Amino acid sequence: GAGVSQSPRYKVAKRGQDVALRCDPISGHVSLFWYQQALGQGPEFLTYFQNEAQLDKSGLPSDRFFAERPEGSVSTLKIQRTQQEDSAVYLCASSSGLAGGQETQYFGPGTRLLVL
Amino acid sequence: GESVGLHLPTLSVQEGDNSIINCAYSNSASDYFIWYKQESGKGPQFIIDIRSNMDKRQGQRVTVLLNKTVKHLSLQIAATQPGDSAVYFCAEGEGGGADGLTFGKGTHLIIQP
């Protein structure tokens, strides 16, 4: 499809387990963003890539959270030793990243993570 | 700290009426504002955006107004339809939205038949 895709759509993990969430951005989009959305809240920024470079990771809540985009397209958000407070929807967005252009961020459907 | 917030958590309107959703922001450095619609179980869907050098922008059935003097943003939806039922988020960004966005808490728009 033409949009942002994410997998898995749902993930149930036991506390302490590691998880990996995948994001496929819109083809050709330079910028990629990860957000965390708690139930009943707005999305909160986690981290941002321009191509393979991670330019901002100020929103990552702890060092258990790690994101990568090694080839400048697909990105993976990894959470180590998951805790119950990590339960949320993890959203990925991409934008064209064209200098001086409109930087609309287009979102994927999200991965709903439940940590038991 | 600086934040984006919404005045009303729930808005109920009659089908066919116009809806107005309001948003306040406090980061004076923000130069890009965007409205998203989120339906249950889905990711946020882009509706319309506006840059700080404009005060009004129109799309199909939607209008965004920006008042920089009082740091206020609004989304107007004309002739509200059942399909407009969703949670609406305003978001702000710096650098034209090239970095991460800051979202408000959301307004749940309910359409009464």
Side-chain angles (χ1 to χ4, degrees):
Chain A
V4 177
S5 61
Q6 294 186 244
S7 61
R9 290 295 314 279
Y10 303 91
K11 177 69 179 178
V12 178
K14 293 182 179 179
R15 190 175 57 182
Q17 191 176 2
D18 297 349
V19 298
L21 313 180
R22 176 188 169 107
C23 172
D24 285 79
I26 293 172
S27 179
H29 274 194
V30 168
S31 300
L32 186 146
F33 307 81
W34 284 99
Y35 292 83
Q36 180 190 60
Q37 185 174 25
L39 188 64
Q41 302 293 317
E44 291 191 356
F45 171 75
L46 294 178
T47 186
Y48 154 55
F49 291 85
Q50 192 170 77
N51 295 306
E52 68 278 4
Q54 190 173 20
L55 299 186
D56 186 349
K57 52 181 181 179
S58 62
L60 295 176
S62 76
D63 59 7
R64 296 186 295 103
F65 287 71
F66 173 76
E68 60 184 5
R69 195 187 185 197
E71 297 179 357
S73 55
V74 171
S75 177
T76 304
L77 176 67
K78 298 179 179 178
I79 309 173
Q80 298 176 322
R81 304 180 303 281
T82 53
Q83 303 295 314
Q84 288 184 324
E85 61 263 28
D86 299 335
S87 296
V89 175
Y90 291 85
L91 295 163
C92 177
S94 71
S95 68
S96 64
L98 298 174
Q102 199 166 18
E103 295 291 344
T104 302
Q105 294 183 24
Y106 297 94
F107 282 81
T111 293
R112 186 176 298 272
L113 174 65
L114 176 62
V115 182
L116 302 176
Chain B
E2 297 184 313
S3 64
V4 172
L6 296 176
H7 295 312
L8 298 173
T10 302
L11 178 64
S12 183
V13 299
Q14 291 291 125
E15 182 178 349
D17 287 352
N18 296 334
S19 301
I20 300 176
I21 302 173
N22 295 301
C23 178
Y25 69 94
S26 57
N27 184 359
S28 57
S30 293
D31 60 3
Y32 178 67
F33 304 88
I34 187 166
W35 282 98
Y36 285 97
K37 171 187 179 183
Q38 188 173 30
E39 297 173 288
S40 181
K42 297 183 179 180
Q45 176 187 353
F46 169 80
I47 301 173
I48 191 168
D49 58 4
I50 189 168
R51 293 186 181 275
S52 58
N53 61 351
M54 302 173 68
D55 53 21
K56 180 179 180 179
R57 192 167 187 218
Q58 288 185 291
Q60 186 177 13
R61 281 202 307 120
V62 295
T63 301
V64 55
L65 300 177
L66 174 64
N67 186 330
K68 295 181 288 293
T69 302
V70 295
K71 295 188 177 66
H72 184 266
L73 189 70
S74 69
L75 175 69
Q76 300 178 2
I77 305 173
T80 312
Q81 302 170 358
D84 295 329
S85 290
V87 177
Y88 289 80
F89 292 98
C90 66
E92 62 175 325
E94 297 181 38
D99 207 327
L101 298 173
T102 300
F103 281 78
K105 287 185 170 57
T107 292
H108 186 193
L109 179 63
I110 298 171
I111 312 302
Q112 304 284 359

